Amino acid sequence: MPFDSGLAARLEEIITDRFAPIGGLSETRMFGGFGYMLNGNMCLGIHKDTLIVRVGLECADEILAEDHVGPMNLTGRVMKGWATIQPAAMEEDDALARFVRLAIDFVSTLPPKEK
């Protein structure tokens, strides 16, 4: 299972319902995963059944103290400013939407990448 299709459907629904007016947000599939780019910058994604969020250094430090949130380490090297969210931390749609909002809020501060 490259990524959890149920989580992808929930994520797509939340983004469509709550974050659709945000310009520059686009769906992407890469490396067997599923995610969203914002203005050409990776914003969030799914790896297996885990949500991956790009939230910046300060926010990552804060949310890493929460239950079922860990550092992003898919290759043996921790990526600073990112976090992985386990299923238990996003059982409710409002909890999932909160992590989506944190990622969008941070990535919207980054300069757009040219295609």
Side-chain angles (χ1 to χ4, degrees):
M1 170 180 76
F3 66 88
D4 182 332
S5 60
L7 177 55
R10 285 179 63 213
L11 187 58
E12 186 173 11
E13 184 175 325
I14 285 171
I15 286 177
T16 300
D17 290 351
R18 302 183 193 200
F19 302 102
I22 296 172
L25 196 59
S26 61
E27 185 179 308
T28 186
R29 293 180 191 253
M30 62 174 78
F31 310 117
F34 171 87
Y36 286 89
M37 307 282 281
L38 180 58
N39 299 322
N41 293 295
M42 189 63 189
C43 185
L44 54 104
I46 300 171
H47 180 261
K48 298 182 181 177
D49 64 348
T50 304
L51 182 69
I52 298 168
V53 292
R54 184 177 190 182
V55 294
L57 295 174
E58 283 183 35
C59 185
D61 285 344
E62 291 175 19
I63 67 173
L64 286 171
E66 297 179 22
D67 290 340
H68 311 293
V69 177
M72 182 173 160
N73 181 358
L74 303 179
T75 63
R77 184 173 149 210
V78 172
M79 291 184 65
K80 295 179 181 178
W82 293 74
T84 56
I85 315 302
Q86 300 298 317
M90 54 183 172
E91 290 175 345
E92 301 297 324
D93 285 346
D94 285 343
L96 176 56
R98 173 181 164 251
F99 292 113
V100 171
R101 167 56 65 200
L102 291 172
I104 288 173
D105 285 351
F106 173 73
V107 176
S108 66
T109 68
L110 301 176
K113 285 192 174 179
E114 293 185 28
K115 293 182 180 179

